[in-house]
Amino acid sequence: MAAPHELDRYRDFLARTQGLSFTDYEALWRWSISELDAFWLSLWDFFELHSDTPFGDALSEDRMPGARWFAGATLNHAAQVLRHADAAAAAGRPAILWATEAMLARGERAELSWPELRAQVGALAASLQRLGVQRGDRVVAYLPNIPHTVVAFLACASLGAIWSVCSPDMGPVAVLDRFRQIEPKVLIAVDGYTYASQAVDRMDTLAEVLGQLPSVEHVLLLPWLDAGVDEQRLAAPLRPAYRFDALAGGAEHLDPLPLPFEHPLWIVYSSGTTGLPKPIVHGHGGIVLEALKLQVLHGDLRPEDRFHWYSSTGWIMWNCQVNALLAGASICLFDGSPGGPREAPDWGTLWRFAALTRASFVGAGAAFYASCLKARVRPQQQGDLSALRGVGSTGSPLADECYDWIWQQLPAVDGAPIWISCIAGGTDFAGAFLGGLPGAPVRRGQMQCRCLGAAVQAYGEPDAQGRGQVLLDEVGELVCTRPMPSMPLFFWGDVDGRRYRESYFEMYRGSNGEGIWRHGDWLRITPEGGAIIYGRSDATINRHGIRMGTAELYRAVEALPEVLDSLVVDLEYLGRESYMPLFVVLREGLALDAALQQRLRQAIREALSARHVPNEVFQVSAIPRTLSGKKMELPVKKLLLGAAADTVFKRDAMANASCLAWFEDFAARRAERAAH
């Protein structure tokens, strides 16, 4: 008999402790967004969080931006993780299971126990304190998706230092664009990394970065490519360098310090594709509550689970994966390419890792599942996946055919198709607005629900006072009309808060005249209570007066087996004649001939309308994407409207900057034709 869902346990808790009974999820959701104080206080009690100091209300100042949460409460993210150590160890559950590409190729994986995690975090925290790291100091990392990164983050959190990380595949410009803004005191880094079977040395990059980060007083180096690398290559007269393992393996131990609820936890960044990335600051308490709500209530995460979400450290899903430790669950970290070596693609890689670690939940970007489908991967031929009971997707809408592929190719759970939990949210608040609903029907193309505590609506165009009309079963702007505790505390360096307000609160106004969060996605709330995301609202197709997000077109185009990836931009601008090119990446060895062009146009005509058929279709080698895998629609649009490439693309913030040469040439040829 299947265990009760965690959301059902929460509903029972509300009935038992507060006498609240809800007939369905919609009623529970409406209570959670109308009674914010009662809802968030109930989560504090349900998850048995502890404050060393007394506090009263959950929400003492109800406004956006600037809501005040749990005034007077103290806690620490790292303490909330490590409180599970004794019980988990007694039950024989590891904290972290992990593998690199080389380990997986040998059929090996490693474990870090909960007592080992606690000891290393305490030792590294004591070492950092000895080096002079204090509350509020920034500690930055240039580390891959490995246990050492988790240890480093938790050690910083336990001290009240503010953490920030870049993936080592990011180049020096992207790293400096981020870290220079926050003036770190300590840098923790690897000497290099391996991806798709290619080893990449980063010592010269580190020297370049350190040369332009004068605030760094200490460097901790983790040898990863070369065990004999000399950390003193990164030292300077006023900047000593140390071995990471020596500091994380010391005998001293420091317990996490109690911190105010809104003490800064980490700094994450917007994509930075068109300007300096926004340094977004989140607080300890808000992240703990949002993570537990999302992972446990909407993700059905239990202490016995083994949770894997494929991510680099440069994507917010790395933070979300680490947050599974807050629930006492084990996390499964894979360091490497999900698609195998470049010369011999292998999209069975992550499924072998899932089998090796006995993962109970696997998550990835939507593009991963599309790649598996196109490569005709049979996950259950890669290993024993019988422990798997759910899969997750985010980053972009999951195509309908990917739902079918998942249900056909992954094992049934208790006789039913495996649960697919699609979420949509973002780096901005390190959470999800839309997510999974355990035990409820899953409909192709839809996220199951609006998350608890997230007052999400689809809004029409604002009127003269900035008021938006609520739309049901129509496409509108995704807005959140009430505050959430994981919304940013502020942007680093944004002294007067102007940049923060302009980013989210300028378009819409509430009845009190204050701002309403506009997220920048096209959204439709369905009559069943589900939700569909149609792509970014700033990359809209507006053909002949009909607005549409790009996601629907991508679903139609990428359903064709020949198409691996695609990008469309609508160049209608200031009254010019509309011109909409479609760029496609085809399977190896295929060419874009007249027959395939006709099939593409017909697929779009049938799925959308004749108005949305592109003017021209072009075959390209790759679609420009950010490091987190998002298609760069708006920068490509700006390029084709005449902007210089270097002003709209941050190449070091891209996953595949080499593909830009084709688009630059295409833009130049278009401009030349227009001039004549």
Side-chain angles (χ1 to χ4, degrees):
M1 181 176 171
H5 297 298
E6 294 299 294
L7 186 59
D8 294 330
R9 283 206 315 113
Y10 173 63
R11 292 166 82 160
D12 291 343
F13 170 83
L14 291 177
R16 188 175 67 253
T17 61
Q18 301 187 32
L20 294 171
S21 178
F22 300 98
T23 55
D24 54 24
Y25 178 78
E26 181 77 7
L28 175 62
W29 174 76
R30 291 198 177 280
W31 171 77
S32 76
I33 64 167
S34 61
E35 303 294 335
L36 291 184
D37 189 73
F39 169 67
W40 291 103
L41 275 175
S42 77
L43 291 190
W44 181 285
D45 294 336
F46 178 71
F47 291 117
E48 298 178 344
L49 300 183
H50 173 72
S51 173
D52 286 344
T53 51
F55 65 92
D57 297 334
L59 181 58
S60 56
E61 296 181 38
D62 183 358
R63 63 174 188 262
M64 283 197 300
R68 186 79 192 279
W69 295 96
F70 291 89
T74 52
L75 81 170
N76 188 302
H77 183 290
Q80 300 302 323
V81 167
L82 297 175
R83 68 178 177 148
H84 299 289
D86 290 336
R93 299 193 301 265
I96 302 175
L97 302 98
W98 64 284
T100 63
E101 289 181 347
M103 292 165 65
L104 185 62
R106 298 191 298 267
E108 299 173 0
R109 50 96 166 159
E111 292 186 5
L112 188 71
S113 72
W114 280 93
E116 288 171 330
L117 177 65
R118 180 168 55 192
Q120 291 183 25
V121 168
L124 183 57
S127 296
L128 290 172
Q129 187 182 64
R130 197 166 55 251
L131 296 180
V133 175
Q134 302 175 16
R135 291 187 188 188
D137 287 339
R138 277 76 63 209
V139 174
V140 298
Y142 194 52
L143 295 169
N145 186 29
I146 54 178
H148 311 68
T149 314
V150 179
V151 168
F153 159 62
L154 292 174
C156 292
S158 69
L159 281 177
I162 306 171
W163 167 265
S164 194
V165 61
C166 283
S167 173
D169 59 356
M170 296 172 71
V173 174
V175 173
L176 287 167
D177 278 352
R178 288 156 174 78
F179 290 168
R180 252 194 310 227
Q181 294 187 72
I182 66 172
E183 299 179 304
K185 178 178 279 190
V186 175
L187 170 67
I188 307 172
V190 284
D191 60 324
Y193 68 97
T194 300
Y195 187 87
S197 299
Q198 299 295 312
V200 181
D201 186 284
R202 280 309 204 196
M203 290 297 284
D204 289 343
T205 298
L206 284 170
E208 181 179 348
V209 166
L210 285 166
Q212 298 186 58
L213 286 178
S215 62
V216 173
E217 298 177 8
H218 303 278
V219 180
L220 280 60
L221 183 67
L222 173 66
W224 200 245
L225 284 186
D226 178 9
V229 66
D230 184 5
E231 69 275 8
Q232 297 309 315
R233 287 173 56 188
L234 302 177
L238 297 177
R239 190 186 65 220
Y242 313 86
R243 287 280 180 131
F244 176 91
D245 286 343
L247 298 190
E252 287 187 69
H253 180 91
L254 187 70
D255 290 327
L257 305 175
L259 300 167
F261 185 90
E262 293 190 338
H263 185 82
L265 171 65
W266 60 44
I267 299 172
V268 293
Y269 304 89
S270 62
S271 60
T273 54
T274 59
L276 273 183
K278 298 188 290 281
I280 302 168
V281 184
H282 295 132
H284 277 249
I287 291 301
V288 167
L289 276 173
E290 172 62 24
L292 287 170
K293 182 202 71 177
L294 177 62
Q295 299 276 33
V296 177
L297 301 187
H298 290 284
D300 209 24
L301 188 68
R302 305 161 190 169
E304 63 269 23
D305 280 330
R306 296 183 173 190
F307 182 87
H308 169 67
W309 198 295
Y310 177 76
S311 177
S312 77
T313 52
W315 188 22
I316 194 63
M317 294 313 298
W318 178 84
N319 305 65
C320 293
Q321 176 170 243
V322 173
N323 281 341
L325 293 169
L326 289 164
S330 306
I331 59 173
C332 305
L333 308 180
F334 177 69
D335 175 36
S337 167
R342 292 183 179 89
E343 63 277 8
D346 175 11
W347 288 98
T349 299
L350 285 189
W351 301 113
R352 289 195 298 280
F353 176 70
L356 189 64
T357 55
R358 301 287 294 162
S360 51
F361 190 95
V362 167
F368 167 74
Y369 299 104
S371 296
C372 290
L373 183 155
K374 296 291 175 62
R376 299 183 176 89
V377 173
R378 301 291 182 264
Q380 294 189 76
Q381 295 178 5
Q382 307 297 323
D384 180 4
L385 296 176
S386 59
L388 198 61
R389 61 183 184 87
V391 294
S393 175
T394 193
S396 59
L398 188 66
D400 287 1
E401 58 270 24
C402 289
Y403 283 81
D404 292 327
W405 179 84
I406 290 169
W407 283 326
Q408 291 163 8
Q409 298 299 329
L410 294 180
V413 179
D414 297 326
I418 197 166
W419 178 44
I420 302 175
S421 176
C422 293
I423 64 174
T427 299
D428 313 79
F429 66 108
F433 284 136
L434 310 164
L437 185 55
V442 176
R443 297 177 175 88
R444 291 174 185 82
Q446 293 191 32
M447 275 143 282
Q448 288 176 283
C449 67
R450 289 174 277 191
C451 291
L452 295 174
V456 170
Q457 303 287 357
Y459 265 16
E461 289 290 330
D463 62 17
Q465 287 75 43
R467 311 284 170 75
Q469 177 188 0
V470 175
L471 305 177
L472 181 62
D473 208 21
E474 293 182 52
V475 178
E477 290 272 1
L478 191 165
V479 301
C480 187
T481 63
R482 303 291 305 277
M484 295 171 63
S486 67
M487 285 177 175
L489 302 177
F490 52 88
F491 292 171
W492 195 268
D494 183 26
V495 178
D496 60 1
R498 179 180 176 183
R499 194 180 183 196
Y500 181 27
R501 291 192 301 273
E502 289 177 346
S503 295
Y504 308 111
F505 301 105
E506 291 293 303
M507 186 170 185
Y508 291 102
R509 297 284 167 190
S511 57
N512 58 3
E514 293 183 347
I516 284 177
W517 180 289
R518 169 186 172 264
H519 198 57
D521 283 335
W522 289 124
L523 167 72
R524 176 162 67 92
I525 303 297
T526 67
E528 303 88 2
I532 301 172
I533 293 288
Y534 291 90
R536 296 295 293 174
S537 56
D538 53 9
T540 310
I541 301 172
N542 189 12
R543 295 285 272 179
H544 314 293
I546 298 179
R547 290 193 314 179
M548 185 168 294
T550 53
E552 284 190 303
L553 189 142
Y554 295 143
R555 276 197 287 268
V557 167
E558 293 172 17
L560 273 63
E562 296 92 341
V563 180
L564 293 177
D565 204 358
S566 62
L567 183 138
V568 67
V569 291
D570 176 16
L571 302 184
E572 184 177 32
Y573 182 65
L574 296 180
R576 300 176 191 174
E577 182 180 355
S578 176
Y579 173 71
M580 190 173 81
L582 171 66
F583 307 98
V584 294
V585 179
L586 303 181
R587 294 180 66 83
E588 189 173 355
L590 297 183
L592 183 63
D593 57 20
L596 181 53
Q597 286 224 31
Q598 180 58 32
R599 290 181 58 213
L600 284 164
R601 294 174 188 277
Q602 185 62 29
I604 295 167
R605 186 177 290 109
E606 292 176 358
L608 282 75
S609 76
R611 302 185 186 196
H612 293 91
V613 173
N615 295 84
E616 295 183 90
V617 185
F618 300 94
Q619 182 176 356
V620 296
S621 62
I623 297 301
R625 287 184 178 267
T626 67
L627 286 170
S628 60
K630 294 186 184 299
K631 301 184 188 195
M632 300 176 71
E633 296 163 317
L634 193 59
V636 170
K637 180 175 181 175
K638 290 180 177 179
L639 176 70
L640 299 186
L641 287 171
D646 288 342
T647 66
V648 294
F649 291 98
K650 290 283 188 178
R651 296 172 194 266
D652 276 27
M654 293 180 62
N656 52 359
S658 60
C659 73
L660 287 184
W662 187 94
F663 288 89
E664 290 180 79
D665 180 65
F666 178 75
R669 285 185 278 116
R670 267 186 49 80
E672 187 176 345
R673 285 200 303 271
H676 293 87

